[in-house]
């Protein structure tokens, strides 16, 4: 059943409501709270990136140039070892989900979305009137390609998956690909996993494969909306055909070039090591405080459970009153209100979280 943009479709399978599917971590933030809800690293882009973008402010009186676009495409192509025809620049990875949903509607495709996962793909598919099968992975949320309906000719999976922080083996994800099927892999956080090369499918050259990448999380560019797709040129060509002219602005194109350049490469290696170290320390602190970590995490966020016997909704609200913003889990199909997603943060912030958690668990109302 088709639904108008922004409206609820006529039927949803059992699970989160339409409004809940559209909920994202930024809605959890309140002024002054310590942010464990949004998976953006840092409060602002690094100084060198801000300076590079500022250098282009004088060019905003003109339209984005073909040279800027070609240079950004070349940067992505070089990073992933593909030709320019295998790259599509995006105003954030979410634009990719929007374009793919409209592509699926035009082609009459039937979709399967692997859950628990980022809900925007399902929102966009249902908005476009595409039939969607939810494939709910049971704990520990590992991908099993055999669970995907054979009739699904568009499949969406996250790697690593948000919010579970599970990283699927490259070969397991590749097994979803086949001629006649579009396989969409959301790799928004893959640049900071400890073994990116061993897990990414970007540049794999498989039929129907579309890998979506975001540059907003690692480089604190959420307000600029920057990302790209790498994949099957025949699919990317169809996606691009439906776009307006100048789909990305000058600053977005410059950001893509910058974030895939040599300066960024050096900083990315350090950022990846920092995420791994902070995640390891955070898991140890949470576990020592008796906080249940649901599955071993591989991404810059951790899935936890509220204390047994506590009202999970009231507990999360209590953390918020104590100045700790967390991401609720019950908006993700396959999870419930006892699940919370926590962004990986430094030790000082984690200590504050643990103190608030203990006080709320012990009923300290001071």
């Amino acid at each position: 059943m088709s639904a108008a943009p922004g409206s609820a479709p006529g039927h949803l399978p059992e699970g989160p409501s339409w409004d809940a599917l559209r909920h994202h971590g930024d809605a959890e933030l309140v002024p002054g709270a310590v942010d464990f809800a949004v998976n953006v690293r840092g409060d602002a882009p690094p100084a060198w990136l801000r300076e590079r973008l500022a250098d282009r402010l004088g060019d905003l009186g003109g339209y984005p140039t073909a040279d800027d676009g070609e240079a950004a495409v070349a940067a992505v192509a070089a990073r992933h070892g593909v030709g320019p025809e295998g790259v599509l620049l995006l105003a954030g990875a979410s634009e990719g989900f929007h374009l793919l949903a409209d592509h699926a509607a035009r082609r009459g495709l039937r979709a399967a979305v692997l859950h628990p996962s980022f809900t925007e793909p399902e929102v966009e598919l249902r908005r476009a009137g595409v039939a969607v099968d939810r494939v709910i992975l049971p704990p520990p949320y590992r991908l099993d390609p055999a669970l995907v309906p054979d009739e699904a000719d568009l499949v969406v999976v996250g790697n690593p998956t948000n919010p579970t922080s599970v990283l699927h083996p490259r070969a397991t994800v590749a097994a979803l690909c086949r001629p006649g099927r579009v396989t969409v892999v959301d790799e928004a956080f893959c640049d900071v996993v400890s073994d990116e090369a061993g897990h990414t499918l970007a540049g794999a050259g498989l039929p129907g494969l579309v890998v979506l990448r975001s540059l907003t999380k690692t480089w604190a560019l959420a307000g600029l909306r920057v990302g790209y797709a790498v994949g099957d040129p025949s699919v990317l060509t169809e996606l691009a055909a439906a776009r307006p002219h100048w789909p990305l602005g000058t600053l977005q194109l410059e950001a893509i070039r910058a974030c895939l350049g040599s300066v960024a490469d050096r900083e990315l290696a350090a950022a990846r090591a920092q995420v791994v170290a902070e995640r390891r320390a955070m898991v140890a602190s949470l576990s020592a405080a008796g906080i249940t970590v649901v599955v071993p995490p591989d991404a810059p966020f951790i899935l936890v459970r509220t204390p047994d016997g506590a009202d999970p909704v009231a507990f999360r609200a209590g953390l918020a009153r104590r100045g700790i913003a967390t991401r609720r889990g019950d908006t993700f199909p396959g999870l419930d209100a006892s699940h919370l997603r926590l962004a990986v943060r430094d030790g000082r912030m984690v200590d504050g979280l643990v103190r608030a958690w203990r006080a709320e668990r012990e009923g300290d109302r001071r």
Side-chain angles (χ1 to χ4, degrees), residues 28-34 320 323:
E28 311 281 1
L29 299 180
V30 295
V34 180

Side-chain angles (χ1 to χ4, degrees), residues 178-203:
R178 69 182 190 200
R181 170 185 280 176
V182 177
T183 301
V184 183
V185 187
D186 176 9
E187 291 191 0
F189 300 96
C190 202
D191 58 344
V192 290
V193 302
S194 57
D195 181 19
E196 178 186 6
H199 291 85
T200 181
L201 281 184

Side-chain angles (χ1 to χ4, degrees), residues 217-266:
K217 310 295 192 299
T218 299
W219 303 109
L221 287 172
L224 193 57
R225 313 308 306 132
V226 195
Y228 57 87
V230 178
D232 188 326
S234 64
V235 178
L236 299 186
T237 297
E238 288 204 30
L239 300 185
R243 303 175 87 188
H245 207 36
W246 307 296
L248 273 74
T250 299
L251 294 185
Q252 291 166 300
L253 297 173
E254 187 65 25
I256 292 171
R257 294 174 64 188
C259 293
L260 297 177
S262 58
V263 175
D265 284 347
R266 292 191 293 272

Side-chain angles (χ1 to χ4, degrees), residues 306-318:
T306 55
D308 291 342
D311 180 324
V313 176
F315 190 86
R316 180 169 56 85

Side-chain angles (χ1 to χ4, degrees), residues 19-91:
D19 287 341
L21 290 177
R22 295 176 62 86
H23 181 90
H24 295 295
D26 57 327
E28 311 281 1
L29 299 180
V30 295
V34 180
D35 177 16
F36 285 89
V38 178
N39 290 322
V40 173
R41 178 178 168 270
D43 298 324
W48 64 266
L49 181 53
R50 295 198 303 271
E51 291 169 4
R52 183 155 170 178
L53 295 176
D55 286 344
R56 298 301 305 271
L57 293 178
D59 298 329
L60 296 185
Y63 290 98
T65 68
D67 287 346
D68 282 332
E70 290 170 4
V73 167
V76 176
R79 168 57 55 88
H80 297 291
V82 300
E85 69 281 357
V87 175
L88 181 63
L89 306 180
L90 299 169

Side-chain angles (χ1 to χ4, degrees), residues 1 18 24-25 33 49 104 118 134 161 176 184 213 217 278 295 297 356 361:
M1 179 177 293
W18 177 252
H24 295 295
L49 181 53
F118 186 49
R134 284 181 182 168
T161 300
L176 295 170
V184 183
R213 286 288 185 118
K217 310 295 192 299
E278 289 183 345
V295 288
R361 182 178 59 198

